[in-house]
């Protein structure tokens, strides 16, 4: 299928107009790159998180969830390496004072042909000077040298801000899974291999946030760590790559808009690493990551905490530190990809253009909209609405022509519209209009509930 004509501007405008996503702190002039999910957006995002949890926890044979604290002992970040090296190479434009990431400048300038991950800071500076890479804001080529900048947000514990009280907002959720490895293993009596999953907020003081909700300073991650024995790790790495890919196809992504990208430069502890990239409106970019992290994380926490994190095999009594396969996807980044993928503009037979979001019905904010054909049908319509609401999120609209109401529901991707008309008063049936085909079928409310249940299961 060809890529649709979606642009970031169209998405941002639609999201704002239809209560999907609003700019953060808007009445105060906003706060750069923070976004608030509105009534429709929060439902979609919750559905995405539920679908992910269902697939990777509920349907998994041996995976368990946690919800760890955002604020963790500062030693956690020393052990993980974030205090020392969670940084990006930043450069400031001396002319317009805007701040940029050197690696992003090189990637954009070379149109993705040069991989800055393989370069040192000196090499990046040399490339930028030799190739006259100029500031994307003002067009001048007058850069400060590269400086590194830790991305963790700091705060302090207690009533004084002495350095020993310094703590951080977590920059990733993964460490909450690692530090609870033995707690989960003991309480579930799980045998390796098993997984620990978490969905939660993470914070990064990104130098160049942007592209709507693609890169923000506060975001949600859905992470799954699979603990396995050395020697089985590569097989599980391949398995998680396949599962992560399948999850996206099942959400309705066209495989042509997705691709694997193997990392050329691996982190010193990683054995294998790749991303799945999606063709976002601004181009191909990382949607999620899959990493074979070896035994690095548990070994480091064992070293820094002084507590043994070894697993003892109940059959062989062998003691070892498991390897970890990490699968990590941003809920907001997935939301952006889902919005981009779903967006369509269709020319109807009468020449009108309708904007329609083709979400998987399980992901749509509302499974159905109840639309009384006329205002004096409100009473039977509301009775049907109340029945449906026991089962799903459903919305109600009695304002304007039926055509306009269908258009509004198409724009937020409501998969089915139930119209209440005068036949409803005679035989109790309603018409069920399909968002994609626009075909209508008559059924009773009970049949509609069974139909929606089947269609809206992920
Ligand atoms: P990037 O290269 O885009 O900065 P990353 O490699 O640092 O991402 P990870 O640390 O592997 O990303 O985080 C896992 C996932 O979390 C990413 O694949 C992405 O979906 C999401 N994510 C990371 N940073 C952000 C951010 N600033 N805003 C929104 N989502 C993010």
């Amino acid at each position: 299928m060809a890529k649709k004509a979606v642009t970031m501007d169209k998405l941002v405008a639609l999201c704002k107009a239809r209560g999907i996503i609003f700019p953060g702190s808007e009445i105060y002039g906003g706060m750069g790159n923070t976004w608030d999910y509105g009534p429709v957006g929060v439902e979609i995002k919750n559905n995405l998180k539920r679908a992910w949890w269902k697939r990777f926890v509920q349907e998994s044979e041996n995976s368990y969830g946690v919800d760890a604290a955002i604020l963790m002992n500062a030693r956690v970040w020393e052990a993980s390496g974030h205090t020392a090296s969670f940084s990006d190479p930043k450069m400031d434009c001396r002319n317009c004072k805007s701040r940029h990431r050197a690696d992003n400048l090189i990637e954009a300038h070379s149109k993705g042909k040069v991989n800055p991950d393989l370069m040192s800071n000196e090499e990046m500076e040399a490339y930028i000077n030799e190739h006259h890479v100029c500031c994307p804001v003002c067009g001048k080529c007058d850069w400060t040298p590269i400086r590194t900048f830790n991305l963790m947000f700091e705060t302090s514990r207690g009533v004084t801000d002495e350095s020993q009280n310094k703590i951080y907002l977590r920059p990733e959720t993964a460490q909450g899974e690692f530090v609870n490895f033995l707690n989960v293993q003991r309480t579930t009596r799980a045998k390796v291999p098993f997984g620990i999953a978490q969905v939660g907020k993470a914070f990064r003081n990104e130098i160049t946030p942007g592209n709507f909700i693609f890169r923000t300073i506060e975001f949600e991650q859905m992470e799954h760590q699979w603990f396995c024995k050395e020697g089985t790790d590569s097989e599980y790495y391949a398995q998680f790559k396949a599962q992560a890919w399948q999850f996206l196809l099942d959400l309705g992504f066209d495989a042509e808009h997705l691709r694997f990208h193997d990392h050329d430069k691996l982190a010193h502890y990683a054995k294998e690493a790749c991303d799945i990239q999606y063709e976002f409106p601004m181009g191909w970019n990382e949607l999620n990551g899959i990493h074979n992290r070896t035994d690095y994380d548990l070994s480091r926490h064992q070293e820094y905490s002084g507590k043994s994190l070894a697993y003892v095999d109940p059959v062989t009594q062998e003691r070892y530190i498991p390897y970890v396969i990490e699968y990590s996807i941003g809920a907001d980044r997935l939301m952006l990809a889902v919005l981009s993928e779903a967006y369509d503009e269709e020319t109807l037979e009468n020449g009108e253009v309708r904007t329609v979001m083709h979400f998987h019905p399980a992901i749509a904010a509302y499974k159905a909209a109840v639309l009384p054909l006329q205002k004096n049908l409100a009473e039977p319509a509301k009775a049907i609405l109340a029945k449906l609401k026991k089962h799903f999120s459903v919305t109600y609209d009695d304002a304007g022509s039926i055509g306009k109401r269908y258009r509004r529901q198409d724009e937020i991707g409501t998969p089915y519209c139930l119209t209440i008309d005068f036949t409803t008063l005679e035989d109790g049936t309603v018409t069920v209009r399909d968002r994609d085909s626009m075909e209508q079928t008559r059924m009773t409310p009970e049949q509609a509930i069974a139909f929606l249940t089947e269609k809206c299961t992920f």
Side-chain angles (χ1 to χ4, degrees), residues 183-216:
N183 282 337
V184 173
Q185 193 273 322
R186 281 195 201 113
T187 50
T188 60
R189 286 169 285 113
K191 292 191 184 70
V192 168
F194 73 94
I196 304 183
Q198 176 168 215
V199 175
K201 289 257 176 171
F203 305 82
R204 295 184 187 177
N205 204 353
E206 298 272 10
I207 298 167
T208 48
N211 284 322
F212 194 23
I213 52 170
F214 176 80
R215 187 183 301 287
T216 49

Side-chain angles (χ1 to χ4, degrees), residues 88-94 100-107 109 114-134 141-149:
D88 280 338
K90 80 168 179 188
M91 287 181 111
D92 289 338
C93 169
R94 286 202 179 93
H100 302 267
R101 269 172 61 174
D103 52 340
N104 289 352
L105 290 172
I106 294 172
E107 251 175 37
H109 180 267
V114 176
N115 185 353
D117 289 353
L118 302 173
M119 295 173 156
S120 66
N121 284 355
E122 293 69 35
E123 285 167 336
M124 283 196 275
E125 268 177 19
Y127 180 98
I128 286 170
N129 291 331
E130 276 163 29
H131 292 81
H132 301 288
V133 179
C134 295
C141 301
D142 188 7
W143 297 108
T144 61
I146 291 180
R147 272 172 295 164
T148 47
F149 172 79

Side-chain angles (χ1 to χ4, degrees), residues 86 151 153 171-172 202-206 216-219 221:
F86 190 54
L151 300 183
F153 277 103
E172 62 176 28
F203 305 82
R204 295 184 187 177
N205 204 353
E206 298 272 10
T216 49
I217 54 177
E218 173 184 343
F219 55 98
Q221 287 185 314

